[in-house]
């Protein structure tokens, strides 16, 4: 312990400068994190493709089309299914009722969820419907990444899409917050150390 205190006494100014630099860099990233995420989400919204599959009118399509790279199909054919399995679409927005007929998939949207998740488990699927579904379909519905009533609201859909698009970026923000907590503890301990060095 004495050698650490001796080292701190000899290098107190340098240690303070290094800590201040690390703190400034971290604060820069933390304070700019919101701007960085906003810029990233705008870029991802333009770049990542989203497929909406709904045999009827989807109430938020026009609003989503303003901000996202989204296309709409009334049903899936073999070509679209192949594109999904090839990873062309980052996210699938899928209605439960009235879809899957072209491919003769049993159980409509439930069958599509099951087929896609069996073939490509990492495919992000947001499922929605106007109807309530019984317990017999719960195991399949749980395989979807998000589930909404069709009338849930535009902001709920946008939030779910953005969360899926950001994925690892949200993890980065969590790590930055954790780093800030560590730096606060470090600063507190360094302050105690410098008090004992100068005492």
């Amino acid at each position: 312990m004495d050698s650490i205190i001796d080292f701190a006494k000899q290098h107190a100014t340098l240690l303070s400068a290094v800590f201040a630099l690390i703190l400034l860099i971290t604060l820069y990233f933390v304070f700019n994190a919101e701007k960085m995420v906003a810029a990233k989400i705008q870029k991802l919204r333009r770049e990542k493709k989203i497929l909406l599959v709904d045999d009827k009118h989807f109430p938020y399509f026009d609003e989503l089309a303003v901000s996202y790279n989204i296309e709409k199909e009334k049903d899936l054919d073999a070509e679209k299914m192949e594109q999904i399995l090839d990873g062309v679409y980052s996210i699938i927005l899928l209605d439960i009722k009235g879809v899957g007929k072209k491919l003769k998939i049993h159980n409509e949207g439930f069958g599509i969820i099951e087929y896609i998740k069996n073939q490509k488990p990492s495919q992000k699927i947001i499922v929605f419907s106007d109807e309530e579904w019984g317990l017999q379909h719960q195991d399949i519905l749980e395989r979807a990444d998000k589930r909404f009533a069709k009338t849930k609201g535009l902001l709920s859909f946008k939030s779910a899409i953005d969360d899926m698009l950001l994925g690892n970026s949200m993890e980065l923000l969590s790590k930055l917050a954790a780093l800030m907590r560590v730096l606060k503890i470090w600063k507190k301990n360094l302050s105690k150390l410098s008090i004992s060095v100068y005492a």
Side-chain angles (χ1 to χ4, degrees):
M1 183 68 176
D2 288 339
S3 62
I4 294 172
I5 291 174
D6 289 341
F7 178 83
K9 284 180 183 178
Q10 292 172 1
H11 299 89
T13 306
L14 178 63
L15 287 172
S16 294
V18 168
F19 175 74
L21 180 63
I22 291 170
L23 187 61
L24 284 173
I25 291 169
T26 305
L27 288 173
Y28 171 81
F29 282 110
V30 169
F31 288 124
N32 286 301
E34 191 174 324
K35 289 179 188 173
M36 291 167 29
V37 169
K40 182 165 181 127
I41 195 65
Q42 292 304 322
K43 181 180 180 204
L44 290 170
R45 285 175 174 177
R46 287 188 305 273
E47 291 176 356
K48 301 294 182 176
K49 290 180 127 189
I50 299 168
L51 179 63
L52 168 68
V53 185
D54 189 354
D55 65 322
K56 295 183 180 165
H57 173 73
F58 183 75
Y60 314 115
F61 178 76
D62 293 336
E63 290 91 343
L64 290 174
V66 170
S67 303
Y68 298 88
N69 183 2
I70 188 169
E71 61 185 75
K72 183 181 186 304
E73 295 290 334
K74 288 187 177 283
D75 200 356
L76 292 177
D77 58 19
E79 182 183 347
K80 282 292 173 199
M81 183 59 81
E82 188 175 325
Q83 289 175 350
I84 290 169
L85 298 178
D86 287 343
V88 171
Y89 299 100
S90 297
I91 300 170
I92 309 300
L93 294 174
L94 180 66
D95 187 15
I96 290 292
K97 193 156 171 80
V99 297
K101 294 175 183 175
K102 285 183 182 178
L103 293 171
K104 296 180 173 59
I105 290 180
H106 177 69
N107 263 348
E108 301 176 86
F110 298 111
I112 292 173
I113 294 168
E114 199 166 32
Y115 183 80
I116 291 172
K117 288 294 189 174
N118 285 342
Q119 299 298 312
K120 189 174 187 234
S122 63
Q123 177 63 60
K124 300 295 184 193
I125 299 174
I126 299 173
V127 68
F128 59 88
S129 182
D130 281 332
E131 300 184 25
E132 291 290 322
W133 298 99
L135 293 175
Q136 74 270 24
H137 298 293
Q138 286 304 313
D139 58 330
I140 298 171
L141 280 175
E142 286 174 8
R143 294 185 74 187
D145 298 278
K146 292 278 184 181
R147 295 164 296 285
F148 290 122
K150 195 173 191 175
T151 56
K152 180 70 174 173
L154 175 62
L155 291 179
S156 295
F157 281 94
K158 286 179 83 170
S159 177
I161 292 168
D162 288 349
D163 286 350
M164 286 181 188
L165 289 175
L166 279 171
N168 293 337
S169 297
M170 295 308 283
E171 240 177 79
L172 175 64
L173 287 177
S174 301
K175 287 178 182 174
L176 278 174
L179 179 60
M180 279 303 292
R181 288 190 297 276
V182 167
L183 284 174
K184 284 179 184 176
I185 293 167
W186 189 34
K187 181 181 176 189
K188 188 177 179 182
N189 290 336
L190 190 60
S191 296
K192 288 178 185 174
L193 181 62
S194 55
I195 288 169
S196 67
V197 167
Y198 294 115

